[in-house]
Amino acid sequence: MIYDLLIIGGGAAGMMAAITAAETGKKVIIIEKMNRLGKKILATGNGRCNFTNSYLDEDCYRSSKKSFPFTAVEQFGSQDAIAFFEQLGIAVVDRDGYYYPRSNQASTVADGLIYKIKSLHIPVVLECKINRIEKKKGYFTIASRKKEFTGRNLLIAAGGKAQEKLGSDGSGFLLAKSCRHTLIEPFPALTALIIKKHPLKEASGVRCRCKVTAVINGQGSKAEEGELQITSYGVSGVLIFQLSRFIIDGIRKGKRSAICIDFLPEQKEKSQFFTTMKECASYKTAQQWLEGYFPTKLADALLAYAGVDSNKNVGNLSKKEREQIWRQIKECRMSIDGWKDFDFAQVTAGGVSVAEVSPYTMESELIPGLYFAGEILDVDGTCGGYNLQWAWTSGYLAGRSIQ
């Protein structure tokens, strides 16, 4: 059989494209290397699936061509995604601008897409890894070791390299290169950071709200406020994920990269801080004083990093010791030495160069009838539903553009 659209990859983008194209009467087939569709969706949002966000603008996405992602998103945004899932019978809830299925289960989204695919009688071939693409006389032929499929159009939506166990093994990049497309070198994004000489290692396991600034070559580049998780190997948590893209990119370019942590962002005045100490904590040790602000493990680690005896009475602290404590609370700087690899990253940065793809159709500028969607493209978003929104957007634009 000759299909109107062959889709390599049955993740979020591939399923959206399949549904969109099939609803216009196109003959579509999905070929997926895993044993089920939408496997990576099940892990999103800690299994709850934050699938879009009410706030969308250009700064929510990163790409070698800055305007590309938002040009696409303007055509199919968050309200379009919400309406799409509501039409699938999925109740949606808004949690401060972050949208989830009301069931609070990612499986609701994945299964909702699968049910729709079945209702449209779209054939699905599972556990089939495509390793060859050819185009002859206007038709694409794609092949695994045992099977071949032919179609007028081809969509590669095979994901990136983040979390291979869920299907993103980088094989789509090899297919794109075989089609003469340029690859922006992929690297992990939305991942934890490694600190070799970790000054706060003894506070491992502590979670706290703070403000963190990425410092590249001595200059503060971007800041995030939220929950930080201190680990034995470094730092993690949503705000670290948000900054990791910039820090990793800096390290890869040979730049000195660090983070500067403000553990008490609501405290602006140093004099007021020490006045409160004198009035309310004069009888306490330095550790007991900081326990009024931080978990004991973190209080001890901050005092050790400041070089102050935790058992010293606060009334006996010298001006220099007070300054050292204030500096570690407000400007705790640590050099970043590395990052957790693709197995731990939520998404891939880099990918197929968007300079060779139309932002309106997701069609290749090099090969007519060839499309790309989802994480395989050089587009990555921040935490908060933006990467799934990119999957819905790019999949929809590709699906509706099939001739």
Side-chain angles (χ1 to χ4, degrees):
M1 176 182 286
I2 296 176
Y3 294 92
D4 294 311
L5 177 61
L6 308 171
I7 299 177
I8 301 174
M15 288 194 285
M16 172 61 89
I19 291 168
T20 305
E23 286 186 324
T24 64
K26 300 297 188 293
K27 293 180 181 178
V28 181
I29 185 170
I30 301 173
I31 300 97
E32 166 59 46
K33 61 180 170 289
M34 303 300 285
N35 60 4
R36 67 155 287 163
L37 297 176
K39 202 155 191 175
K40 196 169 182 180
I41 294 174
L42 300 176
T44 60
N46 291 320
R48 296 183 298 138
C49 196
N50 170 205
F51 69 88
T52 191
N53 198 296
S54 62
Y55 177 76
L56 285 173
D57 75 5
E58 199 171 73
D59 289 337
C60 299
Y61 292 97
R62 322 284 174 234
S63 176
S64 54
K65 188 177 180 180
K66 187 176 181 180
S67 64
F68 183 93
F70 199 63
T71 298
V73 169
E74 284 184 312
Q75 300 170 72
F76 188 89
S78 56
Q79 292 305 310
D80 300 299
I82 291 165
F84 172 81
F85 285 106
E86 288 179 337
Q87 288 168 6
L88 296 185
I90 296 173
V92 174
V93 293
D94 176 358
R95 297 195 177 99
D96 298 322
Y98 295 73
Y99 288 91
Y100 296 83
R102 192 183 186 283
S103 66
N104 224 27
Q105 296 184 119
S107 59
T108 299
V109 172
D111 290 343
L113 292 164
I114 292 170
Y115 298 151
K116 185 64 175 179
I117 285 168
K118 289 180 177 178
S119 76
L120 292 168
H121 306 292
I122 298 171
V124 175
V125 180
L126 299 174
E127 299 181 282
C128 182
K129 185 173 182 176
I130 298 299
N131 51 39
R132 180 170 57 86
I133 296 173
E134 291 181 351
K135 187 179 184 185
K136 291 182 180 179
K137 298 180 180 180
Y139 292 95
F140 290 92
T141 297
I142 61 175
S144 67
R145 290 181 179 178
K146 297 181 179 180
K147 298 179 181 179
E148 286 191 353
F149 308 89
T150 302
R152 296 180 181 86
N153 299 278
L154 169 64
L155 169 64
I156 304 178
K161 294 185 71 174
Q163 301 186 30
E164 181 177 352
K165 62 182 181 296
L166 300 178
S168 296
D169 62 359
S171 58
F173 294 142
L174 299 178
L175 294 175
K177 288 180 72 174
S178 76
C179 296
R180 309 193 315 276
H181 271 271
T182 303
L183 192 67
I184 307 299
E185 186 180 356
F187 62 92
L190 304 186
T191 192
L193 300 173
I194 295 171
I195 300 167
K196 289 181 180 177
K197 295 181 179 180
H198 195 343
L200 302 182
K201 186 175 182 179
E202 296 306 313
S204 175
V206 168
R207 296 173 182 265
C208 58
R209 292 198 65 81
C210 57
K211 181 179 180 180
V212 179
T213 302
V215 182
I216 310 298
N217 275 353
Q219 299 295 317
S221 64
K222 187 172 178 59
E224 292 283 345
E225 195 163 336
E227 186 178 77
L228 171 75
Q229 181 180 355
I230 300 171
T231 68
S232 60
Y233 58 79
V235 285
S236 187
V238 172
L239 84 170
I240 293 298
F241 287 1
Q242 302 285 49
L243 296 173
S244 64
R245 213 275 192 197
F246 303 95
I247 292 170
I248 294 169
D249 194 39
I251 294 173
R252 291 173 69 249
K253 292 176 179 176
K255 298 178 180 179
R256 292 179 291 107
S257 298
I259 56 172
C260 184
I261 307 173
D262 180 351
F263 284 102
L264 208 59
E266 69 274 19
Q267 182 72 54
K268 307 298 182 184
E269 296 294 331
K270 179 169 61 172
S271 59
Q272 183 185 26
F273 183 64
F274 288 117
T275 296
T276 302
M277 178 197 77
K278 291 178 182 179
E279 292 177 351
C280 304
S282 60
Y283 56 92
K284 293 182 178 180
T285 65
Q287 180 202 56
Q288 291 168 341
W289 166 40
L290 288 192
E291 282 178 343
Y293 295 91
F294 311 113
T296 301
K297 287 171 66 175
L298 179 56
D300 284 342
L302 287 171
L303 288 168
Y305 197 17
V308 175
D309 183 353
S310 62
N311 292 313
K312 192 170 184 178
N313 186 277
V314 295
N316 296 326
L317 293 174
S318 67
K319 182 179 179 181
K320 180 180 179 181
E321 288 174 321
R322 291 197 301 271
E323 290 292 333
Q324 288 170 331
I325 292 170
W326 175 257
R327 186 177 302 112
Q328 296 311 329
I329 289 174
K330 296 294 289 181
E331 299 178 12
C332 184
R333 185 170 293 207
M334 293 180 277
S335 295
I336 302 301
D337 302 295
W339 55 87
K340 285 291 188 177
D341 64 18
F342 284 113
D343 286 341
F344 300 91
Q346 290 188 9
V347 71
T348 305
V352 174
S353 174
V354 296
E356 301 167 350
V357 178
S358 167
Y360 301 99
T361 64
M362 299 295 123
E363 186 174 15
S364 165
E365 302 280 9
L366 307 181
I367 302 176
L370 174 63
Y371 297 79
F372 297 95
E375 195 177 343
I376 193 170
L377 286 162
D378 175 30
V379 174
D380 59 284
T382 58
C383 291
Y386 296 106
N387 289 292
L388 273 180
Q389 178 61 55
W390 174 246
W392 315 135
T393 291
S394 55
Y396 171 81
L397 294 179
R400 80 169 184 184
S401 302
I402 300 304
Q403 301 298 317

